[in-house]
Amino acid sequence: AEFFKRNPNDDAPYLDSPEIVVEVRSPSNTIGEIEEKKTLYFEKGAREVWLCDQIGCLRFFSPEKELERSELFMDFPRQIVGRPPRLRR
């Protein structure tokens, strides 16, 4: 709620970052692109960046280092299992 108070406009880019940013990696993302995005998120105030690959494995980062698990949501799993619901077309 605090994030949206600071960023009332629905149009991106926001003035700052939410506390947690989840980036879903696609095959076309380079390591350099991901590192640049992480840097930008942390510069804008993110406390953690979560990277999710295409099979649901998560990596957690603070501004200083890679984390073993999220420090904000300690019980969040390192892998999301199951299939996402199908979208109707």
Side-chain angles (χ1 to χ4, degrees):
E2 291 300 315
F3 171 78
F4 290 110
K5 285 180 190 174
R6 293 188 311 271
N7 296 275
N9 189 349
D10 289 338
D11 297 330
Y14 293 119
L15 300 174
D16 60 358
S17 177
E19 289 182 278
I20 296 173
V21 176
V22 180
E23 182 74 32
V24 179
R25 210 170 158 193
S26 72
S28 64
N29 289 128
T30 66
I31 292 172
E33 288 172 327
I34 296 298
E35 290 302 317
E36 183 178 359
K37 287 182 175 186
K38 281 179 16 192
T39 298
L40 293 172
Y41 296 142
F42 288 129
E43 285 176 355
K44 290 291 188 174
R47 292 179 55 197
E48 290 186 357
V49 173
W50 299 2
L51 297 180
C52 183
D53 67 17
Q54 291 193 319
I55 60 169
C57 292
L58 288 156
R59 294 173 65 196
F60 306 96
F61 297 86
S62 72
E64 297 82 26
K65 63 183 180 180
E66 185 167 358
L67 305 168
E68 182 65 30
R69 65 176 48 99
S70 170
E71 293 178 346
L72 300 176
F73 291 92
M74 303 274 307
D75 292 333
F76 202 89
R78 293 185 51 89
Q79 183 167 16
I80 299 168
V81 293
R83 291 185 67 124
R86 291 190 106 184
L87 297 176
R88 293 185 192 153
R89 294 183 183 207

